[in-house]
Amino acid sequence: MTEPDSTARTQYAQRVERRIRFLQTLKDAGLGLYLPADEQARQHSFDQLARMTARQRELPQLSADDLSKAAEAFRTHIDAMQGVLPHDVQYKNRIRRNW
């Protein structure tokens, strides 16, 4: 009994989900990731994280929409982690949110 081969998109989505669960574990432990102060640099970091999560052989099979959805998922979870960072780091990041 063999399992059907997963497509590159499904494997990528599963890998992104595992990374997000890891980020949630870090947040639950009271840890956060420092983000650059510049919004463009932040977006570039999320886009790069989404691309680096894909394997090289998967990249041609992934659409820009797949990568942007993954980047947005990473953004959502990493932004939520900013509340555990010290207030001076949040101020330096120019993050004006009510955690």
Side-chain angles (χ1 to χ4, degrees):
M1 192 170 178
T2 61
E3 294 181 21
D5 290 335
S6 297
T7 65
R9 293 176 74 184
T10 1
Q11 290 176 345
Y12 177 69
Q14 291 171 349
R15 197 173 309 108
V16 167
E17 185 59 36
R18 287 193 304 269
R19 301 299 191 279
I20 287 174
R21 282 197 312 259
F22 176 71
L23 292 173
Q24 184 61 40
T25 302
L26 290 177
K27 182 179 179 250
D28 292 345
L31 301 171
L33 297 176
Y34 175 81
L35 292 174
D38 180 43
E39 182 62 33
Q40 288 180 336
R42 266 188 236 151
Q43 186 59 44
H44 177 72
S45 297
F46 295 127
D47 292 341
Q48 186 176 8
L49 180 59
R51 278 191 313 274
M52 291 175 72
T53 301
R55 294 200 169 117
Q56 193 66 30
R57 62 181 162 76
E58 294 172 343
L59 280 174
Q61 299 172 5
L62 296 174
S63 68
D65 189 45
D66 294 330
L67 294 173
S68 66
K69 284 180 184 176
E72 188 57 36
F74 286 132
R75 174 189 268 290
T76 301
H77 285 82
I78 294 175
D79 274 349
M81 297 173 84
Q82 299 306 295
V84 300
L85 295 175
H87 292 291
D88 60 335
V89 173
Q90 294 178 33
Y91 179 76
K92 184 188 270 189
N93 279 344
R94 296 178 185 88
I95 298 173
R96 302 185 200 297
R97 296 190 183 113
N98 186 10
W99 303 108

